[in-house]
Amino acid sequence: MTHRRTLLATAGLLGLGALALPAAAAAHPSVYETSARVAVTPATDPPTFTDQVRYVVANHGYTYVLRESNGTTTGGVVNYAKAPSALRSTPGYDVLTYSTPSAVTGAQAHATCDVPALTDPAAIRAWQGTDPFYAYVPFQRGSAGLEDHPADWLAVVQARTGVDLTQVADTDAAREAACEALPGATAGSYVPADATQTTIAAFNSGLVADTIAATEGPLKAQIATFEQRVAELDAARRAAEARAAAAAARAPIAKPIAATLAAATVTPTRIATRGLPVTVTGPAGQHVRVRATVTRAVARKLRLPSTVLGSKAAVLGGAGTATVTVKPGRAAGTRLRRATTKVPVRLDVVTGSVTATVAR
């Protein structure tokens, strides 16, 4: 909450309202300056104080607060609030050198090495483009956390100075040594970054904490409701599965189609005069057709008009059974009466999808 109160107090002093501007509201950074009283000798009685400049940088929803600590009050983040778009579209306008009033602030989020190869405006634009966010080239390998990407400037630094910052320890001492070793560099050319007052991560953590505090109760209640509903649905599913299992257990098992000859002895004369009695079993209500056939060789021998002696349809009763008598046609019956030997007959019980066979 400390960061949030500090930021809101700054906003109140400047009359800005919300500093975390949405992306659509600011295409380039706006920098707001304010003063804070800092105790120089807090242990003395009375303590001594001094004024310290603080910079609030806002862009694309990011908010970043820096304290002026490196003594450099120019050459920092570009304040596009002082460089309106109408002015920037003027031929020959250069935001880096514009001076009435200057759009370049003292907010410096990165360390720099002030040597001509890196302070050249062409070098500054080389890693940012025509509308630079920063009026300098960073001299560090890590990001400051404000929409900056080290890959954009590391190659520029190496091409212009020969220094590979990825091989330089990310400390002020190591960076200063690398800077002072450059040809033509003099004491004081290395400038550390301004101290960070509030980072975007800290600012956002405060907003997240406030949001959670405001929504935690209703959110937990809603989650509890959802969990209860899921439990109810799960119980209903288990009950339905149990009912289905019980119903399946009570349901009668469908009997397979089967057939047997009802008569003990079947002779050609009996077939011709009384037919073939067949007992068929299966599911109750099943439609069946019983068909009696002989082989082609028997049909030729007895001079039968067809291999099919006869057929008859039936419906199985409530007990799942029926006795069907298949009689041969007139011509087939006449031939069978003249037969002197047994005649092999094949009986097929045909349904829509199943055929049961009784061979005799």
Side-chain angles (χ1 to χ4, degrees):
M1 292 304 294
T2 300
H3 295 315
R4 185 170 181 268
R5 287 197 298 269
T6 300
L7 194 55
L8 292 178
T10 304
L13 288 173
L14 299 175
L16 299 176
L19 287 174
L21 303 180
H28 294 83
S30 295
V31 182
Y32 308 99
E33 297 183 18
T34 185
S35 268
R37 295 288 285 171
V38 178
V40 178
T41 58
T44 62
D45 187 16
T48 58
F49 298 89
T50 187
D51 290 336
Q52 184 182 57
V53 175
R54 295 187 182 183
Y55 307 100
V56 179
V57 183
N59 187 61
H60 288 171
Y62 290 83
T63 303
Y64 201 93
V65 182
L66 299 170
R67 290 187 287 113
E68 180 51 66
S69 62
N70 63 8
T72 301
T73 58
T74 60
V77 177
V78 178
N79 181 12
Y80 278 86
K82 291 186 178 181
S85 58
L87 182 62
R88 285 155 48 204
S89 63
T90 303
Y93 171 77
D94 184 352
V95 71
L96 296 179
T97 58
Y98 179 58
S99 60
T100 52
S102 176
V104 179
T105 70
Q108 190 171 316
H110 306 83
T112 60
C113 180
D114 292 345
V115 293
L118 297 180
T119 56
D120 181 2
I124 296 172
R125 291 189 179 88
W127 73 278
Q128 298 179 96
T130 57
D131 281 343
F133 194 121
Y134 301 96
Y136 57 81
V137 178
F139 197 76
Q140 63 184 55
R141 71 184 185 188
S143 168
L146 187 62
E147 297 188 276
D148 58 324
H149 306 286
D152 294 337
W153 71 75
L154 291 176
V156 173
V157 172
Q158 186 168 9
R160 288 179 166 266
T161 66
V163 176
D164 182 1
L165 289 173
T166 63
Q167 303 303 313
V168 178
D170 215 15
T171 64
D172 281 321
R175 291 190 292 259
E176 183 173 11
C179 176
E180 298 303 329
L182 293 175
T186 58
S189 61
Y190 174 77
V191 180
D194 282 324
T196 301
Q197 176 73 29
T198 305
T199 64
I200 181 61
F203 179 71
N204 280 350
S205 68
L207 291 180
V208 170
D210 286 348
T211 302
I212 290 175
T215 60
E216 186 175 21
L219 181 61
K220 284 186 175 180
Q222 190 174 25
I223 290 174
T225 301
F226 287 155
E227 289 178 342
Q228 180 180 357
R229 182 57 179 156
V230 169
E232 292 172 354
L233 292 174
D234 189 54
R237 175 186 59 79
R238 291 196 299 270
E241 291 175 347
R243 289 193 297 271
R250 292 191 301 268
I253 299 175
K255 294 185 293 183
I257 294 293
T260 57
L261 280 172
T265 303
V266 180
T267 63
T269 302
R270 183 181 177 88
I271 296 174
T273 58
R274 299 184 183 181
L276 288 164
V278 181
T279 300
V280 182
T281 59
Q286 176 70 57
H287 289 258
V288 298
R289 175 171 288 278
V290 181
R291 183 175 58 206
T293 60
V294 293
T295 64
R296 292 182 182 277
V298 171
R300 284 196 298 271
K301 181 179 180 181
L302 298 180
R303 297 181 180 180
L304 297 175
S306 169
T307 58
V308 179
L309 298 181
S311 67
K312 187 173 183 179
V315 178
L316 302 186
T321 183
T323 298
V324 182
T325 300
V326 181
K327 293 184 177 181
R330 180 178 299 178
T334 301
R335 299 289 190 276
L336 288 171
R337 290 188 187 92
R338 297 173 182 174
T340 59
T341 59
K342 291 183 179 180
V343 178
V345 179
R346 176 190 175 99
L347 292 169
D348 294 322
V349 180
V350 183
T351 67
S353 59
V354 178
T355 300
T357 300
V358 178
R360 186 69 180 177

